[in-house]
């Protein structure tokens, strides 16, 4: 009744922002992401009939903030008549700072919970369960370039290109390590209800996904760079125009974007993307990664730089 799963965060190149069904946590738009290799969350779930309540530690420290969402995730995966769980989470990167920690956490939790309870789910059902916990978590079930599509009444997720077919590198510039002011779940609803740009964001998403998919098939880096930066800035425009405004960037975020633009003007294969946080992810061709890393490290306000390739989907690492 104990299982451990590992999952890596993913970074969306075509973003998820907004929900079409809040109760079932269904996204308003499809999205396309890359799963990272070297950042990870490990989730051990120990179902224990003698435990009085669910318990969670994150990197050895008791955590009550994330516990209600994890308990709800376990209820969906295992059933509400389940035993209580001792959950031990380990994560090698900052939590809740725009590095998709909820994606890797809930992907790992979904896989570990199903295994601990001896449940066998088909891939679409597993994606649906992970997605109900956190929309982006469904994408971390898969490796490489991953697309999440809306189906008539749920979601479907699949790898559209394995990492080995186009082994891009991501250089993450950390500009702030604290948790973000407004979580994505609440922020998406603020945007849906108040942003004058929200409807056009949703309407244009399928066209952006088509361009990105074609860029992947053709391994056309410039095409992918253009559509990913456009989609990222469009999402942030929706956020900025929300009331209250949702501005996740700081001055160093802007400087990093300028660093990436300068590199690109100088012939470097690199583009930026930014999520609901101040970190800048520079996606680059492998041969240009050292140059991108040096330039971002030298950018004022950058606290740390992490480089990673593309990795695999969530997987079970232990079951007892
Ligand atoms: C993404 N983000 O596509 C976008 C870009 C943030 C900005 O997916 O409410 O934490 O749990 O479904 O999965 C963050 O959204 O939101 C996210 P919920 P989640 O990566």
């Amino acid at each position: 009744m104990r299982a451990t799963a590992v999952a890596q965060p993913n970074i969306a190149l075509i973003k998820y922002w907004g929900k079409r069904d809040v109760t079932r946590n269904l996204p308003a738009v499809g999205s396309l992401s890359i799963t990272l290799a070297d950042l990870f969350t490990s989730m051990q779930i120990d179902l224990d009939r003698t435990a009085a309540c669910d318990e969670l530690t994150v990197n050895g420290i008791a955590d009550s903030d994330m516990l209600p969402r994890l308990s709800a995730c376990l209820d969906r995966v295992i059933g509400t008549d389940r035993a209580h769980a001792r959950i031990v989470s380990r994560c090698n990167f900052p939590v809740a700072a725009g590095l998709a920690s909820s994606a890797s956490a809930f992907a790992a939790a979904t896989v570990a919970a199903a295994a601990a309870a001896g449940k066998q789910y088909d891939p679409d059902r597993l994606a649906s369960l992970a997605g109900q916990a956190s929309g982006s978590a469904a994408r971390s079930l898969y490796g490489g370039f991953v697309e999440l599509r809306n189906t008539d009444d749920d979601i479907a997720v699949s790898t559209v290109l394995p990492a080995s077919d186009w082994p891009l590198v991501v250089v993450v510039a950390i500009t702030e390590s604290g948790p973000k002011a407004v979580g994505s779940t609440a922020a998406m609803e603020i945007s849906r209800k108040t942003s004058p740009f929200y409807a056009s964001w949703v309407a244009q998403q399928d066209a952006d996904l088509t361009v990105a998919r074609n860029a992947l098939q053709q391994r056309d880096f410039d095409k992918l760079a253009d559509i990913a930066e456009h989609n990222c800035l469009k999402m942030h425009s929706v956020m900025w125009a929300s009331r209250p405004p949702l501005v996740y960037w700081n001055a160093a975020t802007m400087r990093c974007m300028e660093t990436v633009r300068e590199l690109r003007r100088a012939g470097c294969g690199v583009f930026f993307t930014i999520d609901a946080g101040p970190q800048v992810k520079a996606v680059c061709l492998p041969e240009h990664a050292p140059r991108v890393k040096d330039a971002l490290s030298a950018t004022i306000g950058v606290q740390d730089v992490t480089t990673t390739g593309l990795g695999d989907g969530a997987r079970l690492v232990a079951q007892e």
Side-chain angles (χ1 to χ4, degrees):
M1 300 303 274
R2 181 158 77 174
T4 306
V6 169
Q8 285 104 264
N10 67 79
I11 304 294
L13 305 183
I14 304 295
K15 309 285 190 190
Y16 153 44
W17 197 253
K19 298 170 196 292
R20 71 180 197 274
D21 181 336
V22 173
T23 314
R24 295 177 61 208
N25 203 37
L26 292 175
V29 290
S31 52
L32 194 150
S33 60
I34 43 180
T35 303
L36 305 181
D38 299 325
L39 312 182
F40 69 86
T41 302
S42 145
M43 263 305 156
Q44 182 190 75
I45 295 184
D46 191 351
L47 296 171
D48 182 353
R49 285 275 168 208
T50 66
C53 57
D54 290 339
E55 289 168 19
L56 168 68
T57 61
V58 177
N59 291 337
I61 297 165
D63 185 319
S64 54
D65 292 347
M66 202 188 184
L67 186 57
R69 274 178 85 185
L70 268 173
S71 293
C73 173
L74 268 53
D75 286 349
R76 280 186 296 266
V77 174
I78 304 171
T80 46
D81 58 346
R82 65 180 171 83
H84 287 119
R86 292 203 179 82
I87 309 165
V88 177
S89 172
R90 300 205 167 271
C91 184
N92 70 343
F93 60 97
V95 172
L99 278 176
S101 56
S102 69
S104 51
F106 287 108
T110 302
V111 171
K119 300 260 184 195
Q120 307 280 347
Y121 289 114
D122 68 45
D124 283 349
R125 182 75 190 125
L126 205 63
S128 174
L129 288 164
Q132 285 178 64
S134 190
S136 54
R139 298 188 313 235
S140 276
L141 294 174
Y142 291 85
F145 296 81
V146 177
E147 183 169 0
L148 183 150
R149 288 178 295 111
N150 273 325
T151 59
D152 282 346
D153 78 349
D154 211 324
I155 55 166
V157 187
S158 58
T159 293
V160 288
L161 195 70
S164 53
D165 282 15
W166 205 13
L168 300 181
V169 172
V170 183
V171 181
V172 183
I174 311 275
T175 66
E176 219 174 279
S177 50
K180 57 192 163 200
V182 188
S184 302
T185 306
M188 284 186 208
E189 278 301 279
I190 294 172
S191 287
R192 183 177 68 81
K193 288 176 183 159
T194 68
S195 179
F197 304 149
Y198 182 79
S200 40
W201 156 256
V202 173
Q204 291 175 22
Q205 188 78 342
D206 282 348
D208 287 5
L209 282 164
T210 301
V211 174
R213 234 182 276 118
N214 288 341
L216 291 186
Q217 271 149 22
Q218 296 156 3
R219 314 286 194 274
D220 185 334
F221 189 85
D222 285 339
K223 195 182 209 177
L224 186 64
D226 286 347
I227 196 64
E229 288 191 353
H230 169 70
N231 189 267
C232 165
L233 293 175
K234 196 160 54 178
M235 178 186 75
H236 283 278
S237 302
V238 172
M239 295 170 171
W240 283 41
S242 300
R243 292 186 166 179
L246 301 160
V247 179
Y248 289 105
W249 302 356
N250 59 32
T253 312
M254 297 285 282
R255 285 192 209 101
C256 289
M257 289 162 73
E258 195 44 34
T259 296
V260 170
R261 287 197 189 100
E262 275 168 20
L263 285 164
R264 215 169 151 207
R265 276 194 292 269
C268 205
V270 61
F271 64 87
F272 64 77
T273 191
I274 305 159
D275 295 296
Q279 330 303 358
V280 175
K281 292 97 178 191
V283 182
C284 52
L285 293 170
E287 59 271 31
H288 295 153
R291 198 166 147 203
V292 172
K293 184 179 181 214
D294 287 350
L296 283 172
S297 300
T299 299
I300 292 167
V302 171
Q303 296 177 356
D304 198 9
V305 171
T306 303
T307 302
T308 170
L310 307 190
D312 298 325
R315 65 215 165 272
L316 196 61
V317 294
Q319 190 172 19
E320 293 161 33

mmCIF file with all atom_site columns, all heavy atoms in Angstrom, residues 149-165:
data_model
loop_
_atom_site.group_PDB
_atom_site.id
_atom_site.type_symbol
_atom_site.label_atom_id
_atom_site.label_alt_id
_atom_site.label_comp_id
_atom_site.label_asym_id
_atom_site.label_entity_id
_atom_site.label_seq_id
_atom_site.pdbx_PDB_ins_code
_atom_site.Cartn_x
_atom_site.Cartn_y
_atom_site.Cartn_z
_atom_site.occupancy
_atom_site.B_iso_or_equiv
_atom_site.pdbx_formal_charge
_atom_site.auth_seq_id
_atom_site.auth_comp_id
_atom_site.auth_asym_id
_atom_site.auth_atom_id
_atom_site.pdbx_PDB_model_num
ATOM 1   N N   . ARG A 1 149 ? -5.114  18.227 -25.614 1.00 0.00 ? 149 ARG A N   1
ATOM 2   C CA  . ARG A 1 149 ? -6.251  18.627 -26.449 1.00 0.00 ? 149 ARG A CA  1
ATOM 3   C C   . ARG A 1 149 ? -7.527  18.559 -25.630 1.00 0.00 ? 149 ARG A C   1
ATOM 4   O O   . ARG A 1 149 ? -7.687  17.678 -24.787 1.00 0.00 ? 149 ARG A O   1
ATOM 5   C CB  . ARG A 1 149 ? -6.391  17.678 -27.653 1.00 0.00 ? 149 ARG A CB  1
ATOM 6   C CG  . ARG A 1 149 ? -5.322  17.844 -28.705 1.00 0.00 ? 149 ARG A CG  1
ATOM 7   C CD  . ARG A 1 149 ? -5.492  16.855 -29.849 1.00 0.00 ? 149 ARG A CD  1
ATOM 8   N NE  . ARG A 1 149 ? -5.302  15.471 -29.415 1.00 0.00 ? 149 ARG A NE  1
ATOM 9   C CZ  . ARG A 1 149 ? -6.265  14.561 -29.351 1.00 0.00 ? 149 ARG A CZ  1
ATOM 10  N NH1 . ARG A 1 149 ? -7.510  14.855 -29.684 1.00 0.00 ? 149 ARG A NH1 1
ATOM 11  N NH2 . ARG A 1 149 ? -6.006  13.332 -28.932 1.00 0.00 ? 149 ARG A NH2 1
ATOM 12  N N   . ASN A 1 150 ? -8.434  19.483 -25.925 1.00 0.00 ? 150 ASN A N   1
ATOM 13  C CA  . ASN A 1 150 ? -9.773  19.388 -25.355 1.00 0.00 ? 150 ASN A CA  1
ATOM 14  C C   . ASN A 1 150 ? -10.572 18.411 -26.186 1.00 0.00 ? 150 ASN A C   1
ATOM 15  O O   . ASN A 1 150 ? -10.580 18.496 -27.416 1.00 0.00 ? 150 ASN A O   1
ATOM 16  C CB  . ASN A 1 150 ? -10.451 20.767 -25.394 1.00 0.00 ? 150 ASN A CB  1
ATOM 17  C CG  . ASN A 1 150 ? -10.111 21.584 -24.160 1.00 0.00 ? 150 ASN A CG  1
ATOM 18  O OD1 . ASN A 1 150 ? -9.960  21.039 -23.072 1.00 0.00 ? 150 ASN A OD1 1
ATOM 19  N ND2 . ASN A 1 150 ? -9.980  22.889 -24.328 1.00 0.00 ? 150 ASN A ND2 1
ATOM 20  N N   . THR A 1 151 ? -11.227 17.466 -25.539 1.00 0.00 ? 151 THR A N   1
ATOM 21  C CA  . THR A 1 151 ? -12.173 16.606 -26.243 1.00 0.00 ? 151 THR A CA  1
ATOM 22  C C   . THR A 1 151 ? -13.572 17.103 -25.888 1.00 0.00 ? 151 THR A C   1
ATOM 23  O O   . THR A 1 151 ? -13.709 18.086 -25.153 1.00 0.00 ? 151 THR A O   1
ATOM 24  C CB  . THR A 1 151 ? -12.000 15.139 -25.818 1.00 0.00 ? 151 THR A CB  1
ATOM 25  O OG1 . THR A 1 151 ? -12.203 15.049 -24.406 1.00 0.00 ? 151 THR A OG1 1
ATOM 26  C CG2 . THR A 1 151 ? -10.611 14.620 -26.154 1.00 0.00 ? 151 THR A CG2 1
ATOM 27  N N   . ASP A 1 152 ? -14.614 16.432 -26.389 1.00 0.00 ? 152 ASP A N   1
ATOM 28  C CA  . ASP A 1 152 ? -15.968 16.937 -26.157 1.00 0.00 ? 152 ASP A CA  1
ATOM 29  C C   . ASP A 1 152 ? -16.257 17.179 -24.686 1.00 0.00 ? 152 ASP A C   1
ATOM 30  O O   . ASP A 1 152 ? -16.794 18.205 -24.318 1.00 0.00 ? 152 ASP A O   1
ATOM 31  C CB  . ASP A 1 152 ? -17.010 15.971 -26.743 1.00 0.00 ? 152 ASP A CB  1
ATOM 32  C CG  . ASP A 1 152 ? -17.104 16.155 -28.241 1.00 0.00 ? 152 ASP A CG  1
ATOM 33  O OD1 . ASP A 1 152 ? -16.571 17.178 -28.730 1.00 0.00 ? 152 ASP A OD1 1
ATOM 34  O OD2 . ASP A 1 152 ? -17.684 15.286 -28.917 1.00 0.00 ? 152 ASP A OD2 1
ATOM 35  N N   . ASP A 1 153 ? -15.896 16.210 -23.851 1.00 0.00 ? 153 ASP A N   1
ATOM 36  C CA  . ASP A 1 153 ? -16.216 16.464 -22.444 1.00 0.00 ? 153 ASP A CA  1
ATOM 37  C C   . ASP A 1 153 ? -15.059 16.159 -21.495 1.00 0.00 ? 153 ASP A C   1
ATOM 38  O O   . ASP A 1 153 ? -15.271 15.996 -20.307 1.00 0.00 ? 153 ASP A O   1
ATOM 39  C CB  . ASP A 1 153 ? -17.502 15.744 -22.042 1.00 0.00 ? 153 ASP A CB  1
ATOM 40  C CG  . ASP A 1 153 ? -17.295 14.276 -21.790 1.00 0.00 ? 153 ASP A CG  1
ATOM 41  O OD1 . ASP A 1 153 ? -16.228 13.754 -22.114 1.00 0.00 ? 153 ASP A OD1 1
ATOM 42  O OD2 . ASP A 1 153 ? -18.188 13.654 -21.254 1.00 0.00 ? 153 ASP A OD2 1
ATOM 43  N N   . ASP A 1 154 ? -13.824 16.127 -22.045 1.00 0.00 ? 154 ASP A N   1
ATOM 44  C CA  . ASP A 1 154 ? -12.684 15.929 -21.141 1.00 0.00 ? 154 ASP A CA  1
ATOM 45  C C   . ASP A 1 154 ? -11.418 16.426 -21.842 1.00 0.00 ? 154 ASP A C   1
ATOM 46  O O   . ASP A 1 154 ? -11.489 17.339 -22.662 1.00 0.00 ? 154 ASP A O   1
ATOM 47  C CB  . ASP A 1 154 ? -12.570 14.445 -20.753 1.00 0.00 ? 154 ASP A CB  1
ATOM 48  C CG  . ASP A 1 154 ? -11.999 14.262 -19.351 1.00 0.00 ? 154 ASP A CG  1
ATOM 49  O OD1 . ASP A 1 154 ? -11.130 15.051 -18.958 1.00 0.00 ? 154 ASP A OD1 1
ATOM 50  O OD2 . ASP A 1 154 ? -12.404 13.322 -18.657 1.00 0.00 ? 154 ASP A OD2 1
ATOM 51  N N   . ILE A 1 155 ? -10.288 15.809 -21.523 1.00 0.00 ? 155 ILE A N   1
ATOM 52  C CA  . ILE A 1 155 ? -9.022  16.158 -22.172 1.00 0.00 ? 155 ILE A CA  1
ATOM 53  C C   . ILE A 1 155 ? -8.360  14.882 -22.682 1.00 0.00 ? 155 ILE A C   1
ATOM 54  O O   . ILE A 1 155 ? -8.680  13.782 -22.216 1.00 0.00 ? 155 ILE A O   1
ATOM 55  C CB  . ILE A 1 155 ? -8.043  16.870 -21.204 1.00 0.00 ? 155 ILE A CB  1
ATOM 56  C CG1 . ILE A 1 155 ? -7.792  16.014 -19.938 1.00 0.00 ? 155 ILE A CG1 1
ATOM 57  C CG2 . ILE A 1 155 ? -8.533  18.252 -20.846 1.00 0.00 ? 155 ILE A CG2 1
ATOM 58  C CD1 . ILE A 1 155 ? -6.608  16.488 -19.113 1.00 0.00 ? 155 ILE A CD1 1
ATOM 59  N N   . ALA A 1 156 ? -7.451  15.044 -23.626 1.00 0.00 ? 156 ALA A N   1
ATOM 60  C CA  . ALA A 1 156 ? -6.609  13.928 -24.073 1.00 0.00 ? 156 ALA A CA  1
ATOM 61  C C   . ALA A 1 156 ? -5.193  14.479 -24.198 1.00 0.00 ? 156 ALA A C   1
ATOM 62  O O   . ALA A 1 156 ? -4.994  15.622 -24.635 1.00 0.00 ? 156 ALA A O   1
ATOM 63  C CB  . ALA A 1 156 ? -7.096  13.397 -25.408 1.00 0.00 ? 156 ALA A CB  1
ATOM 64  N N   . VAL A 1 157 ? -4.233  13.690 -23.791 1.00 0.00 ? 157 VAL A N   1
ATOM 65  C CA  . VAL A 1 157 ? -2.840  14.155 -23.765 1.00 0.00 ? 157 VAL A CA  1
ATOM 66  C C   . VAL A 1 157 ? -1.966  13.126 -24.458 1.00 0.00 ? 157 VAL A C   1
ATOM 67  O O   . VAL A 1 157 ? -2.170  11.913 -24.300 1.00 0.00 ? 157 VAL A O   1
ATOM 68  C CB  . VAL A 1 157 ? -2.352  14.354 -22.310 1.00 0.00 ? 157 VAL A CB  1
ATOM 69  C CG1 . VAL A 1 157 ? -0.981  14.992 -22.280 1.00 0.00 ? 157 VAL A CG1 1
ATOM 70  C CG2 . VAL A 1 157 ? -3.328  15.195 -21.519 1.00 0.00 ? 157 VAL A CG2 1
ATOM 71  N N   . SER A 1 158 ? -0.993  13.588 -25.231 1.00 0.00 ? 158 SER A N   1
ATOM 72  C CA  . SER A 1 158 ? -0.077  12.643 -25.873 1.00 0.00 ? 158 SER A CA  1
ATOM 73  C C   . SER A 1 158 ? 1.243   13.337 -26.211 1.00 0.00 ? 158 SER A C   1
ATOM 74  O O   . SER A 1 158 ? 1.305   14.562 -26.312 1.00 0.00 ? 158 SER A O   1
ATOM 75  C CB  . SER A 1 158 ? -0.695  12.080 -27.158 1.00 0.00 ? 158 SER A CB  1
ATOM 76  O OG  . SER A 1 158 ? -1.003  13.138 -28.035 1.00 0.00 ? 158 SER A OG  1
ATOM 77  N N   . THR A 1 159 ? 2.266   12.522 -26.392 1.00 0.00 ? 159 THR A N   1
ATOM 78  C CA  . THR A 1 159 ? 3.550   13.034 -26.885 1.00 0.00 ? 159 THR A CA  1
ATOM 79  C C   . THR A 1 159 ? 3.418   13.236 -28.391 1.00 0.00 ? 159 THR A C   1
ATOM 80  O O   . THR A 1 159 ? 3.029   12.308 -29.106 1.00 0.00 ? 159 THR A O   1
ATOM 81  C CB  . THR A 1 159 ? 4.673   12.017 -26.581 1.00 0.00 ? 159 THR A CB  1
ATOM 82  O OG1 . THR A 1 159 ? 4.847   11.963 -25.163 1.00 0.00 ? 159 THR A OG1 1
ATOM 83  C CG2 . THR A 1 159 ? 6.000   12.433 -27.215 1.00 0.00 ? 159 THR A CG2 1
ATOM 84  N N   . VAL A 1 160 ? 3.717   14.454 -28.863 1.00 0.00 ? 160 VAL A N   1
ATOM 85  C CA  . VAL A 1 160 ? 3.658   14.672 -30.320 1.00 0.00 ? 160 VAL A CA  1
ATOM 86  C C   . VAL A 1 160 ? 5.035   14.484 -30.957 1.00 0.00 ? 160 VAL A C   1
ATOM 87  O O   . VAL A 1 160 ? 5.132   14.192 -32.148 1.00 0.00 ? 160 VAL A O   1
ATOM 88  C CB  . VAL A 1 160 ? 3.066   16.050 -30.696 1.00 0.00 ? 160 VAL A CB  1
ATOM 89  C CG1 . VAL A 1 160 ? 1.583   16.087 -30.428 1.00 0.00 ? 160 VAL A CG1 1
ATOM 90  C CG2 . VAL A 1 160 ? 3.756   17.190 -29.977 1.00 0.00 ? 160 VAL A CG2 1
ATOM 91  N N   . LEU A 1 161 ? 6.078   14.635 -30.168 1.00 0.00 ? 161 LEU A N   1
ATOM 92  C CA  . LEU A 1 161 ? 7.438   14.395 -30.662 1.00 0.00 ? 161 LEU A CA  1
ATOM 93  C C   . LEU A 1 161 ? 8.291   13.979 -29.467 1.00 0.00 ? 161 LEU A C   1
ATOM 94  O O   . LEU A 1 161 ? 8.337   14.696 -28.466 1.00 0.00 ? 161 LEU A O   1
ATOM 95  C CB  . LEU A 1 161 ? 7.990   15.695 -31.279 1.00 0.00 ? 161 LEU A CB  1
ATOM 96  C CG  . LEU A 1 161 ? 9.221   15.597 -32.159 1.00 0.00 ? 161 LEU A CG  1
ATOM 97  C CD1 . LEU A 1 161 ? 8.887   14.901 -33.476 1.00 0.00 ? 161 LEU A CD1 1
ATOM 98  C CD2 . LEU A 1 161 ? 9.770   16.988 -32.450 1.00 0.00 ? 161 LEU A CD2 1
ATOM 99  N N   . PRO A 1 162 ? 8.954   12.822 -29.558 1.00 0.00 ? 162 PRO A N   1
ATOM 100 C CA  . PRO A 1 162 ? 9.804   12.419 -28.423 1.00 0.00 ? 162 PRO A CA  1
ATOM 101 C C   . PRO A 1 162 ? 10.993  13.369 -28.273 1.00 0.00 ? 162 PRO A C   1
ATOM 102 O O   . PRO A 1 162 ? 11.445  13.964 -29.259 1.00 0.00 ? 162 PRO A O   1
ATOM 103 C CB  . PRO A 1 162 ? 10.288  11.021 -28.808 1.00 0.00 ? 162 PRO A CB  1
ATOM 104 C CG  . PRO A 1 162 ? 9.509   10.611 -30.012 1.00 0.00 ? 162 PRO A CG  1
ATOM 105 C CD  . PRO A 1 162 ? 8.972   11.844 -30.652 1.00 0.00 ? 162 PRO A CD  1
ATOM 106 N N   . ALA A 1 163 ? 11.481  13.480 -27.070 1.00 0.00 ? 163 ALA A N   1
ATOM 107 C CA  . ALA A 1 163 ? 12.604  14.385 -26.793 1.00 0.00 ? 163 ALA A CA  1
ATOM 108 C C   . ALA A 1 163 ? 13.804  14.062 -27.679 1.00 0.00 ? 163 ALA A C   1
ATOM 109 O O   . ALA A 1 163 ? 14.514  14.961 -28.141 1.00 0.00 ? 163 ALA A O   1
ATOM 110 C CB  . ALA A 1 163 ? 12.983  14.280 -25.318 1.00 0.00 ? 163 ALA A CB  1
ATOM 111 N N   . SER A 1 164 ? 14.028  12.766 -27.928 1.00 0.00 ? 164 SER A N   1
ATOM 112 C CA  . SER A 1 164 ? 15.222  12.376 -28.694 1.00 0.00 ? 164 SER A CA  1
ATOM 113 C C   . SER A 1 164 ? 15.138  12.835 -30.153 1.00 0.00 ? 164 SER A C   1
ATOM 114 O O   . SER A 1 164 ? 16.155  12.937 -30.835 1.00 0.00 ? 164 SER A O   1
ATOM 115 C CB  . SER A 1 164 ? 15.405  10.856 -28.633 1.00 0.00 ? 164 SER A CB  1
ATOM 116 O OG  . SER A 1 164 ? 14.211  10.232 -29.045 1.00 0.00 ? 164 SER A OG  1
ATOM 117 N N   . ASP A 1 165 ? 13.930  13.136 -30.646 1.00 0.00 ? 165 ASP A N   1
ATOM 118 C CA  . ASP A 1 165 ? 13.787  13.588 -32.032 1.00 0.00 ? 165 ASP A CA  1
ATOM 119 C C   . ASP A 1 165 ? 14.176  15.051 -32.222 1.00 0.00 ? 165 ASP A C   1
ATOM 120 O O   . ASP A 1 165 ? 14.415  15.490 -33.347 1.00 0.00 ? 165 ASP A O   1
ATOM 121 C CB  . ASP A 1 165 ? 12.336  13.389 -32.505 1.00 0.00 ? 165 ASP A CB  1
ATOM 122 C CG  . ASP A 1 165 ? 12.059  11.942 -32.857 1.00 0.00 ? 165 ASP A CG  1
ATOM 123 O OD1 . ASP A 1 165 ? 12.865  11.074 -32.476 1.00 0.00 ? 165 ASP A OD1 1
ATOM 124 O OD2 . ASP A 1 165 ? 11.019  11.675 -33.499 1.00 0.00 ? 165 ASP A OD2 1
#
